[in-house]
Amino acid sequence: MTFGTQESPSAVIVLAAGAGTRMKSSLPKVMHPIGGRSMVQHAIATARELSPEHLAVVVRHQRDLVVQQVTDFDDQVRIVDQDEVPGTGRAVEVAVDALDALGGGDIQGTVIVTYGDVPLLTSATISDLTRYHREQDNAVTVLTTNLESPGGYGRIIRNEGGEVTAIVEAKDATPEQLALTEVNSGIYAFDAAVLRESLRSVTTDNAQAEKYLTDVLSIARDNGHRTSALTIEDRWEVEGANDRVQLSQLGKILNERITERHMRNGVTIVDPATTWIDTTVTIENDVTILPGTQLHGDTSIGTGATVGPDSTLTDVRIEQHATVTRVHGSDSVIGEGATVGPFTYLRPGTVLGGKGKIGAFCETKNAEIGQGTKVPHLSYLGDVEIGENSNIGAASIFVNYDGVNKHRSVIGSHVRMGSDNMYVAPVTVGDGAYSGAGTVIRKDVPAGALAINEAPQRNIEGWVEKKRSGTAAAEAARRVRERNADESIEEG
């Protein structure tokens, strides 16, 4: 069931207190990343899209780590600490108490409860749940789905009229109940007053000795309140990640949805199966993404650009009609119509101007390269500023480190630098300057000057045969010497 306009709840409570031992990780389960955000950040972002009056995250396991990540992502979230009493019912109870205290009075209206390990849940589904809950005048509405193999999910118990009468945890279920396929997602819409009242009656008298949130539905129904369920077809929206296998499965599904969304918005993705795009990436229409491409963080790609194959970009801005081929880059800017690659490494602080070029087997760092300037191949540019329409010859190295400090060089516009140059920073090369091949530039070069390291070439005849006798090189040289001698005799 899907509705139209957005419906906002009064409060959203995200449960993120569990240890997640099946992850077998020192990192809290809810902090594991998927699609460019941690799972708990996905939950917060989804809730925030609905603009609830209150948004709370309940924490306990490795509390400080989780809190730091949550507040770095959204500093308006209310952090609630779960106490020693175990169970989701207790987690929601302490959250409701904290929100009541925060507002100076009991919160009213619809309270949504969701989880920090359900990253594919959408704001549209929460909105639908909220609206259905209100329209049906329910006290409790649980979000459900049907699974062929329900496993450890709680089962939905309905009466002959189809009303939800109870939710039974798998560990407490009878064989008949375990045969049911409709399962509890753990995501609810509650009337705040009924939730508050019912939580006081929840006990730990169960197989896990925990305060189950699922008991609230039965208690509310016993007290004469209406309880119901909204069933969705998309099981992945309510699927949690309890181990790394499930996390990988969810990551694949999320990526399929992200790539499909971009393709429907006018992006050509040649092979979605080998293309990974974070949910935070923005791509304009008529972009082409080639196989083996990974786009992470705040990467953005302008209209008409081509990226890939085999490129990994993090926080890179690619402007219109640029071409990026087999590039690994981060925290960089590629200008309009520029070309980069193949086999190029863009380190943070790289800015390439429009129609510029960084060619094969180049590495750049803190490099500002002007419009139309070309760095064709086999070069390292670190801590340098280059003007417009200049050309840096092949195999050029900007020697920016003296063993203690980094230094910056400045190269002007319309400069033509020879191959195999070294620039021992800090140096400045003026506009329109040239340099010869193999030049080591240790001093500033004035505008329009030619920089060369002029030294006569010296050839030591017979050195190989004398110093490397017995080698293949010496034998080859001997044959040439004897052949030349024979030719000289014949000419004589």
Side-chain angles (χ1 to χ4, degrees), residues 40-93:
V40 71
Q41 288 174 340
H42 278 288
I44 294 167
T46 296
R48 189 59 80 188
E49 288 177 10
L50 297 167
S51 302
E53 185 178 350
H54 303 286
L55 175 52
V57 176
V58 182
V59 297
R60 181 170 173 79
H61 177 69
Q62 293 189 261
R63 183 246 186 220
D64 291 345
L65 275 177
V66 178
V67 168
Q68 184 66 55
Q69 188 180 81
V70 167
T71 54
D72 284 349
F73 184 72
D74 186 337
D75 60 8
Q76 299 302 306
V77 168
R78 171 72 171 176
I79 300 296
V80 179
D81 290 286
Q82 186 169 357
D83 56 20
E84 298 291 337
V85 181
T88 52
R90 181 56 181 168
V92 173
E93 188 174 23

Side-chain angles (χ1 to χ4, degrees), residues 141-177:
T141 308
V142 57
L143 192 65
T144 70
T145 193
N146 285 280
L147 300 177
E148 291 183 6
S149 302
Y153 281 90
R155 304 305 199 268
I156 299 298
I157 310 301
R158 293 179 181 266
N159 61 19
E160 293 180 356
E163 298 175 303
V164 177
T165 58
I167 301 171
V168 179
E169 295 291 345
K171 293 180 180 180
D172 299 314
T174 66
E176 292 77 12
Q177 291 168 337

Side-chain angles (χ1 to χ4, degrees), residues 331-333 345-353 358 363-370 375 380-386 398 400 408-409:
D331 298 288
S332 299
V333 177
Y345 183 22
L346 304 181
R347 293 168 59 190
T350 297
V351 179
L352 175 62
I358 301 175
E363 178 179 342
T364 60
K365 188 266 297 183
N366 284 336
E368 298 180 25
I369 302 167
V375 186
Y380 170 69
L381 282 74
D383 299 296
V384 60
E385 178 183 340
I386 305 176
F398 283 80
N400 57 336
R408 191 168 182 83
S409 294

Side-chain angles (χ1 to χ4, degrees), residues 400-422:
N400 57 336
Y401 185 47
D402 64 7
V404 178
N405 298 307
K406 297 288 182 71
H407 300 281
R408 191 168 182 83
S409 294
V410 178
I411 311 297
S413 297
H414 301 283
V415 165
R416 298 291 179 267
M417 295 283 101
S419 296
D420 196 26
N421 280 194
M422 288 195 178

Side-chain angles (χ1 to χ4, degrees), residues 465 471-486:
E465 287 186 77
T471 66
E475 181 62 20
R478 182 190 62 77
R479 287 195 299 268
V480 171
R481 177 175 53 79
E482 291 178 352
R483 184 171 63 249
N484 289 342
D486 292 343

